[in-house]
Amino acid sequence: MKGHIYIIGKRLAVAAAMAGLFSTGAWAAGAGQAAPSLDTGNTAWMLVATTLVLLMSIPGIALFYGGLVRQKNVLSIIMQTMFIVGVVSILWVAVGYSWAFGTGFKEAGSPLFAVAGGFDKVFLRGVTLSSVTPTGIPELVFVMFQCMFALITPALILGAFAERIKFKGYVVFIVLWTILAYFPMAHWVWGGGFLQEMGAIDFAGGTVVHINAGISALVMALMIGKREDYKAGHPITPHNITFVFLGTSLLWLGWFGFNAGSGLAADGLAASALLVTHVATATAAVAWMAIDWIFNKKPTTVGACTGAVAGLVAITPAAGSTDLPGAFCIGLAASVVCFCMVAVVKPRFRYDDALDAFGVHGVGGVVGSLLTGVFATRLVTGDGGAEGALYGDWHQLGVQAVATVVSVAFSAVVTFVLYKVVDRFVGIRVDKRVEEEGLDIYEHGESAYS
């Protein structure tokens, strides 16, 4: 997304990575360069991309996760998703954008810029109608595009503790997690922080979104405990597989904005990112169907949808640096590894990651982040750009490994501490009777079906 500044090559125009430009202030008129002018084509594309990413949260995740839970809990998933869209949007414009993409600490010469941008853009102070980014889009559009990423990330965690969390505990946890886990990591990777300075590549959210949310999901699943009627190796039947398919379709569609929009321009990089996103996803979906067919004797709709999401997750960090062969390999690898996590590892270790948020997003994010260091190619990044181990640069794979480990450790520690605090003062898990009869009635006073 914003991780690096790539050079425009003859074969493919690669847009400048926005976070690096923002953090250096290169787009300011006072930096000795002419202020960028508005590009209506790029602006129009980014408005569309922003809308597509919103579709991933509502209704995409709401339908995908809502279809996977039981009938008595579908509204709880929808309500949790709606809450995130509302409260995280407010947090983002109030302090999140400044924390992630502000330059206050850098301008003050503070070493704190390695971990946070500053508070110079709190409540979007200084962001005006005439503020334009280097790719010619209004900064307000960039603010909103990034807001959609902030929304989808905590929404992914819902799948781990579905059907057994108190809404009030959930509210407090999500607010604190967004502030303490998402905002800092967005700066570290995209806003000029230490992982970006180290050279980590994360085009559209492998570490910031998927590893961050997926590892948090695993910690939450382990700490909140299994559902009362959960039996390892015997998945609870989804109540509406049609919803699962519709949610997957909206996620697949929205992901084009997620990945292809992350270059912040309507150019060759956007076209390449769209291509590899689609191919990796198609490969993963077909591979999961085939594995399902071989081992379970029947290809399932839920399996195909899960495979598609795994492919979307894994290609995300690599979408701006890999080509077609890399997309095939990443999609295939994601499907095989995530299937093993969901169908073999989870039953063996008997943890209740209810909707496989860790098995798909966490593990898929790790696969994608590491394979970015393998398949990155200068056919996409341009002369002098990043290159992976497959093409001789083992250093990049090492950088990706470090960034992955840092992301895993940070997310795990923050989530563990937050769980303990919120559970102590608010409470996390619902009573046994509430879980048995359903969260929709007890927590929200509603029923999805009459």
Side-chain angles (χ1 to χ4, degrees), residues 125-144:
R125 182 175 59 195
V127 180
T128 68
L129 295 178
S130 59
S131 301
V132 180
T133 73
T135 57
I137 67 172
E139 187 179 358
L140 288 171
V141 175
F142 179 73
V143 170
M144 284 302 296

Side-chain angles (χ1 to χ4, degrees), residues 154-179:
L156 298 176
I157 306 174
L158 307 183
F161 48 67
E163 303 193 304
R164 59 201 191 276
I165 192 168
K166 288 182 180 178
F167 189 69
K168 63 180 180 180
Y170 159 85
V171 164
V172 177
F173 173 81
I174 287 295
V175 168
L176 294 176
W177 188 91
T178 301
I179 295 171

Side-chain angles (χ1 to χ4, degrees), residues 355-419:
L355 309 181
D356 296 314
F358 167 69
V360 174
H361 294 279
V363 174
V366 169
V367 169
S369 182
L370 293 176
L371 291 185
T372 298
V374 175
F375 292 106
T377 171
R378 287 178 182 159
L379 290 175
V380 178
T381 62
D383 295 336
E387 197 165 48
L390 185 64
Y391 304 97
D393 186 2
W394 287 87
H395 171 74
Q396 188 62 52
L397 179 57
V399 170
Q400 295 303 117
V402 171
T404 299
V405 171
V406 168
S407 301
V408 169
F410 175 71
S411 300
V413 170
V414 171
T415 305
F416 178 84
V417 172
L418 287 180
Y419 183 95

Side-chain angles (χ1 to χ4, degrees), residues 43-294:
T43 299
W45 160 235
M46 290 310 300
L47 288 169
V48 172
T50 300
T51 304
L52 289 173
V53 182
L54 178 60
L55 283 176
M56 296 170 65
S57 297
I58 51 172
I61 280 291
L63 286 173
F64 181 74
Y65 280 167
L68 287 170
V69 298
R70 285 166 290 190
Q71 178 177 319
K72 61 185 180 181
N73 295 314
V74 60
L75 294 182
S76 70
I77 293 293
I78 292 173
M79 187 62 183
Q80 289 166 12
T81 309
M82 284 294 293
F83 172 77
I84 285 175
V85 171
V87 76
V88 175
S89 296
I90 296 169
L91 291 171
W92 180 252
V93 298
V95 67
Y97 180 69
S98 185
W99 193 333
F101 295 101
T103 57
F105 288 148
K106 182 180 179 67
E107 292 165 2
S110 172
L112 289 175
F113 186 72
V115 294
F119 300 99
D120 51 312
K121 295 190 177 183
V122 168
F123 286 101
L124 304 187
R125 182 175 59 195
V127 180
T128 68
L129 295 178
S130 59
S131 301
V132 180
T133 73
T135 57
I137 67 172
E139 187 179 358
L140 288 171
V141 175
F142 179 73
V143 170
M144 284 302 296
F145 183 67
Q146 285 300 319
C147 179
M148 300 307 128
F149 282 71
L151 302 184
I152 189 66
T153 306
L156 298 176
I157 306 174
L158 307 183
F161 48 67
E163 303 193 304
R164 59 201 191 276
I165 192 168
K166 288 182 180 178
F167 189 69
K168 63 180 180 180
Y170 159 85
V171 164
V172 177
F173 173 81
I174 287 295
V175 168
L176 294 176
W177 188 91
T178 301
I179 295 171
L180 299 176
Y182 182 80
F183 293 165
M185 193 170 292
H187 176 74
W188 297 356
V189 177
W190 296 331
F194 72 95
L195 289 178
Q196 184 181 8
E197 288 295 317
M198 189 177 66
I201 301 175
D202 186 356
F203 189 69
T207 53
V208 181
V209 177
H210 297 292
I211 293 177
N212 201 5
I215 296 302
S216 296
L218 175 63
V219 174
M220 285 292 287
L222 293 174
M223 297 187 73
I224 199 171
K226 304 172 187 176
R227 287 166 290 180
E228 292 292 340
D229 54 354
Y230 174 76
K231 294 180 181 179
H234 299 278
I236 295 173
T237 304
H239 96 279
N240 194 324
I241 295 177
T242 302
F243 278 7
V244 177
F245 169 74
L246 289 173
T248 303
S249 301
L250 288 165
L251 285 170
W252 197 326
L253 174 65
W255 229 286
F256 291 144
F258 198 72
N259 286 1
S262 287
L264 307 182
D267 60 3
L269 179 61
S272 176
L274 188 147
L275 171 68
V276 297
T277 296
H278 185 68
V279 169
T281 306
T283 302
V286 172
W288 196 295
M289 281 187 239
I291 297 169
D292 223 0
W293 206 339
I294 292 169

Side-chain angles (χ1 to χ4, degrees), residues 274-342:
L274 188 147
L275 171 68
V276 297
T277 296
H278 185 68
V279 169
T281 306
T283 302
V286 172
W288 196 295
M289 281 187 239
I291 297 169
D292 223 0
W293 206 339
I294 292 169
F295 290 98
N296 298 323
K297 308 307 178 185
K298 293 180 181 179
T300 64
T301 304
V302 171
C305 290
T306 305
V309 174
L312 289 165
V313 169
I315 195 60
T316 291
S321 59
T322 193
D323 57 2
L324 196 56
F328 279 116
C329 294
I330 290 173
L332 179 61
S335 194
V336 172
V337 175
C338 291
F339 182 90
C340 289
M341 289 300 301
V342 170

